[in-house]
Amino acid sequence: MPRPAYTGEQIRQAEAPLLKAGEGDRLMRRAAGQLAAVCRRVLRLGGGTVYGRRVAVLTGPGNNGGDALFAAADLARRGAAVTLLHTIGTPHADGLAAAVSAGCRRVDIAQAPSHLGAADLVIDGIFGTGAKPQLPEDLVRLIRVWQASSARAEGQITVAVDVPTGIDASTGRRAQAAVQADWTVTFGGLKTGLFTGAGARASGRVVLAPIGLDFSDTVPDAWVYKRSDVREIVKAPTGEDHKYTRGVVGICAGSADYPGAAVLCTSAAVAAGAGMVRITGDERLRSAVTSHVPEAVAADGRVQVWAVGPGSPSEDRMAAAFVSGEPVIADAGALDHLPDRLPAGSIITPHAGELERLLTARGHSVQRSQIEQDQLYWARTAARELDVVVLLKGHRTVVAEPDGTVHLPPAGSANLATAGSGDVLTGVLAALLAERAAAKGRLEPGVTAVTAAAAVLLHGRAGKSATHASGLPRAVEQAVLKARAR
């Protein structure tokens, strides 16, 4: 199931009682031990060893640098050739003493580029959870020169301590530069900023290192999903199910110019396991859909969730779905015609450009590029102001509830960056939501948001097996069957 993630401030609050009780040294030693274990594991990948390997350790002030220094001492005792490169502030005294005693060599920061370039492993221990996003200019230059250098050792691996330097632990925002890590060892609890925006791109593989923090009274800031979580959310039908208990989807999609959107959306809903799919539109559009999806029903009747907007359907068709009282998935064309309030359990699914239009119409001065750079903030803003769950599409999709809780599925395949892919996602989400509506009746925002995350996971998995949107519904069906076979 999804794992909780926290802001930097929440992590600091969880640490505070232990620090007050004099447990700071124990916390640091435990964190450093787990950091060192990951570094040893990384160096041994592919049959390598720790002995004789070149390790460069970038350190800064405070506990993050201390964690790196104690880990450096561990590696040096195991035969690694460890170079210490202190970048800013005063190094952690005990950590520095331990590292030097273990044989680590201190090098002037002016020599950093050559040592960083030659290292098999670089440990980024400059700034951690408490750091502000802006970095000193000399540090910005160092990071840029090192990570852009063509002279870097072949196969060099970077491990970030807690959070890559230059990344905001709470938001994922990036400073003028940021360390691009291959691995991030984060302590105590997952940080939201490691899984969204620039933070998700900079963190590489994230390893959680528990250090004994208590979050029992802390409400998570976010929920982070793994690809395997879809197996816990997508349910297989039972022998007692029938088409109505599996959910009835209504499709309000497509037009004379974009009939394919209705075909893709309907095909995806069927592939994702909807009990029944009803379609609206004129006779020509309905014929186009039923010729591709013969089980689609062209007659009016019961609907439990509406998928509205793909392919520019008419305003009259969309209005009829909006006033039905059933939950709505508002996508594409529907986003420019939203009523003042959507039915309970509804969700909107904009990309950054569509969200720009929505927010601008409500008085915000924001551009698409700003939304893309800070998806977390703008998805939360839209969810709060519109009082609806928001699925903000992008390389890393963000699902936000009106209360500010966010759900962060992993990035999907680049194959999904194609026309019609969003229509398929809308159909998948409609099928999953209709099944939840059939089982639960009224859909609460949390249920809608978790279901949306599951749809993103299925869509992402399907994207690995298709090169274009018309191939996605078949791949969705295979992804659903695989998820059910647990």
Side-chain angles (χ1 to χ4, degrees):
M1 292 299 290
R3 298 170 294 167
Y6 304 94
T7 65
E9 179 59 28
Q10 287 177 311
I11 295 292
R12 289 190 289 276
Q13 289 175 359
E15 291 174 337
L18 296 173
L19 297 176
K20 187 176 181 180
E23 294 288 314
D25 183 66
R26 183 186 66 82
L27 288 180
M28 179 171 291
R29 300 291 182 135
R30 188 171 183 182
Q34 295 188 74
L35 171 62
V38 172
C39 291
R40 296 195 303 269
R41 173 183 169 191
V42 166
L43 287 171
R44 289 168 177 157
L45 289 174
T49 64
V50 175
Y51 186 85
R53 303 297 289 279
R54 294 164 297 184
V55 179
V57 183
L58 289 164
T59 62
N63 292 340
N64 203 62
D67 296 332
L69 287 165
F70 279 117
D74 178 285
L75 297 175
R77 286 193 295 269
R78 297 170 190 271
V82 182
T83 299
L84 306 179
L85 302 164
H86 190 69
T87 61
I88 188 171
T90 302
H92 188 277
D94 291 345
L96 180 60
V100 172
S101 176
C104 299
R105 185 163 64 100
R106 298 183 70 178
V107 173
D108 188 272
I109 195 63
Q111 301 176 42
S114 61
H115 287 277
L116 289 170
D120 300 304
L121 170 68
V122 177
I123 299 176
D124 164 31
I126 304 173
F127 289 123
T129 299
K132 300 300 181 184
Q134 292 301 107
L135 300 177
E137 281 304 315
D138 55 348
L139 185 54
V140 169
R141 286 192 295 272
L142 174 62
I143 292 172
R144 287 176 174 169
V145 169
W146 158 43
Q147 299 219 295
S149 174
S150 60
R152 291 171 68 184
E154 183 178 355
Q156 183 182 94
I157 297 173
T158 300
V159 175
V161 181
D162 210 16
V163 177
T165 294
I167 295 298
D168 186 296
S170 302
T171 67
R173 296 186 189 120
R174 180 183 181 273
Q176 317 96 298
V179 170
Q180 178 65 51
D182 300 292
W183 297 66
T184 296
V185 182
T186 197
F187 305 124
L190 298 177
K191 285 75 177 175
T192 302
L194 298 177
F195 300 94
T196 186
R201 294 187 290 274
S203 300
R205 181 172 178 176
V206 178
V207 177
L208 174 60
I211 55 173
L213 303 188
D214 181 8
F215 295 102
S216 58
D217 294 326
T218 304
V219 177
D221 180 60
W223 293 94
V224 176
Y225 291 72
K226 307 184 300 296
R227 289 179 175 83
S228 59
D229 287 333
V230 72
R231 297 196 298 266
E232 303 297 327
I233 304 171
V234 174
K235 305 298 183 183
T238 70
E240 298 178 353
D241 277 319
H242 51 76
K243 60 189 176 185
Y244 295 113
T245 62
R246 292 184 62 185
V248 181
V249 173
I251 302 289
C252 176
S255 59
D257 289 335
Y258 304 104
V263 174
L264 289 169
C265 192
T266 304
S267 300
V270 169
M276 180 187 291
V277 180
R278 297 186 187 276
I279 56 173
T280 68
D282 59 29
E283 183 177 351
R284 183 176 180 181
L285 182 62
R286 294 185 187 201
S287 296
V289 174
T290 55
S291 67
H292 287 84
V293 192
E295 58 265 71
V297 177
D300 294 338
R302 177 182 181 183
V303 167
Q304 288 159 309
V305 166
W306 281 97
V308 184
S312 301
S314 68
E315 291 184 41
D316 290 344
R317 287 170 62 201
M318 292 191 288
F322 287 142
V323 301
S324 70
E326 304 298 341
V328 170
I329 302 161
D331 183 39
L335 298 171
D336 293 323
H337 302 282
L338 294 177
D340 290 338
R341 189 169 185 83
L342 288 166
S346 295
I347 182 171
I348 65 172
T349 61
H351 56 59
E354 292 164 336
L355 189 59
E356 176 193 353
R357 292 202 304 273
L358 271 174
L359 292 172
T360 299
R362 285 159 175 78
H364 288 275
S365 178
V366 61
Q367 296 180 345
R368 176 176 186 150
S369 60
Q370 294 173 290
I371 294 172
E372 291 173 334
Q373 290 167 11
D374 200 349
Q375 290 177 290
L376 204 64
Y377 174 80
W378 292 109
R380 280 175 163 155
T381 297
R384 182 182 65 251
E385 294 192 6
L386 298 171
D387 194 26
V388 69
V389 177
V390 174
L391 186 157
L392 177 55
K393 292 183 281 195
H395 173 66
R396 291 292 293 243
T397 293
V398 173
V399 181
E401 299 180 44
D403 68 0
T405 303
V406 293
H407 302 256
L408 303 173
S413 168
N415 291 341
L416 296 171
T418 183
S421 175
D423 304 334
V424 173
L425 176 60
T426 298
V428 173
L429 177 52
L432 299 188
L433 269 186
E435 188 274 333
R436 298 295 185 276
K440 295 179 176 292
R442 179 183 173 87
L443 291 175
E444 298 297 333
V447 173
T448 297
V450 170
T451 306
V456 173
L457 292 171
L458 282 174
H459 190 241
R461 179 176 287 183
K464 294 182 177 182
S465 302
T467 60
H468 52 282
S470 58
L472 278 173
R474 176 60 179 164
V476 165
E477 181 178 10
Q478 294 304 310
V480 169
L481 292 173
K482 185 174 181 180
R484 289 175 178 173
R486 58 183 184 274

